[in-house]
């Protein structure tokens, strides 16, 4: 494996979150220079605002000169049901979860194409295949769109040496899932082939692999990190 300690730059959205933070630590451990895009990140950014995303992307390139790995971990997970959701909330969820991935890919892939190397990893969710509740309508819809976005991008960018993959975590105990009752975690674990609690480091380890040369034959795939709850 090539030494990435002085060359490769990885951008992680949502790096202040539990899963995003674990990804940041893992990529740093593997030798990447990691840049966090978040409200309180290395470069502060509101991922729901187009102009702010474009400004942050330009600042990354101006400051670091390149981006080799993009990990989109940020997610708006507002609880909305069909009969209660308003379009402003719906559009905000899609903007953060899907549109920011599009804008950042537009900004960073030209350099990846020039270098004939790039990794884009999208953090989705196993709820796309197994929706647990109606109030996750906006979130699950966005994750389904993000999965389709990644697969299409993989076809478009593969000839330039850019791999695009998705990682779909199962129910992982984090501050973002603290609203879930303990029973939800117990029930989720009971459906897993590997009956153990899922932790953010599970996702981070998978992302670390996907960002490496070891995964150079993988693209367009969704790796479901849920202990075998879904056998796909």
């Amino acid at each position: 494996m090539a030494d990435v300690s002085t060359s490769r730059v990885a951008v992680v959205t949502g790096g202040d979150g539990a899963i995003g933070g674990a990804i940041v630590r893992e990529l740093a451990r593997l030798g990447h220079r990691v840049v966090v895009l978040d409200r309180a990140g290395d470069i502060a950014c509101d991922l729901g605002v187009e102009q702010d995303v474009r400004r942050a992307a330009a600042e990354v390139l101006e400051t670091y000169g390149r981006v080799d790995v993009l990990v989109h971990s940020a997610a708006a997970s507002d609880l909305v049901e069909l009969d209660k959701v308003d379009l402003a909330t719906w559009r905000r969820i899609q903007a953060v979860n899907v549109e920011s991935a599009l804008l950042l890919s537009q900004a960073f892939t030209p350099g990846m194409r020039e270098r004939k190397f790039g990794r884009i990893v999208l953090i989705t969710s196993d709820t796309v295949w197994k929706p647990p509740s109606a109030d996750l309508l906006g979130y699950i819809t966005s994750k389904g769109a993000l999965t389709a976005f990644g697969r299409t991008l993989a076809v478009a960018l593969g000839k330039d040496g850019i791999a695009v993959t998705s990682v779909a975590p199962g129910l992982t105990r984090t501050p973002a899932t603290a609203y879930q009752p303990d029973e939800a975690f117990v029930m989720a674990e009971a459906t897993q082939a590997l009956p153990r609690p899922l932790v953010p480091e599970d996702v981070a380890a998978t992302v670390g692999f996907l960002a490496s040369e070891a995964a150079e034959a993988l693209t367009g795939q969704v790796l479901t990190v849920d202990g075998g709850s879904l056998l796909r």
Side-chain angles (χ1 to χ4, degrees), residues 64-146:
Y64 296 90
R66 60 191 289 153
V67 172
D68 304 283
V69 177
L70 169 63
V71 182
H72 184 47
S73 179
S77 54
D78 307 56
L79 300 180
V80 294
E81 296 183 37
L82 177 62
D83 59 346
K84 297 178 182 177
V85 62
D86 61 90
L87 277 181
T89 300
W90 180 269
R91 288 168 177 163
R92 169 82 184 172
I93 295 170
Q94 310 312 313
V96 173
N97 297 4
V98 184
E99 292 171 16
S100 64
L102 166 65
L103 296 172
L104 293 173
S105 297
Q106 286 179 329
F108 299 147
T109 53
M112 294 179 182
R113 281 183 164 127
E114 289 178 6
R115 294 183 294 276
K116 297 298 180 184
F117 176 90
R119 297 287 187 267
I120 298 174
V121 183
L122 308 169
I123 307 303
T124 61
S125 172
D126 74 344
T127 59
V128 170
W129 297 275
K130 192 177 179 181
S133 62
D135 59 4
L136 287 171
L137 178 62
Y139 172 81
I140 295 173
T141 299
S142 72
K143 293 300 187 177
L146 194 62

Side-chain angles (χ1 to χ4, degrees), residues 13-92:
T13 69
D16 280 348
I19 289 177
I23 292 169
V24 168
R25 292 188 294 274
E26 177 65 8
L27 291 177
R29 185 188 69 82
L30 293 172
H32 296 81
R33 288 183 291 164
V34 184
V35 186
V36 174
L37 292 190
D38 212 330
R39 288 184 181 273
D42 300 313
I43 294 179
C45 177
D46 184 341
L47 291 161
V49 178
E50 176 188 352
Q51 295 84 352
D52 210 31
V53 176
R54 293 190 186 278
R55 186 268 313 158
E59 188 173 336
V60 170
L61 292 174
E62 181 179 355
T63 303
Y64 296 90
R66 60 191 289 153
V67 172
D68 304 283
V69 177
L70 169 63
V71 182
H72 184 47
S73 179
S77 54
D78 307 56
L79 300 180
V80 294
E81 296 183 37
L82 177 62
D83 59 346
K84 297 178 182 177
V85 62
D86 61 90
L87 277 181
T89 300
W90 180 269
R91 288 168 177 163
R92 169 82 184 172

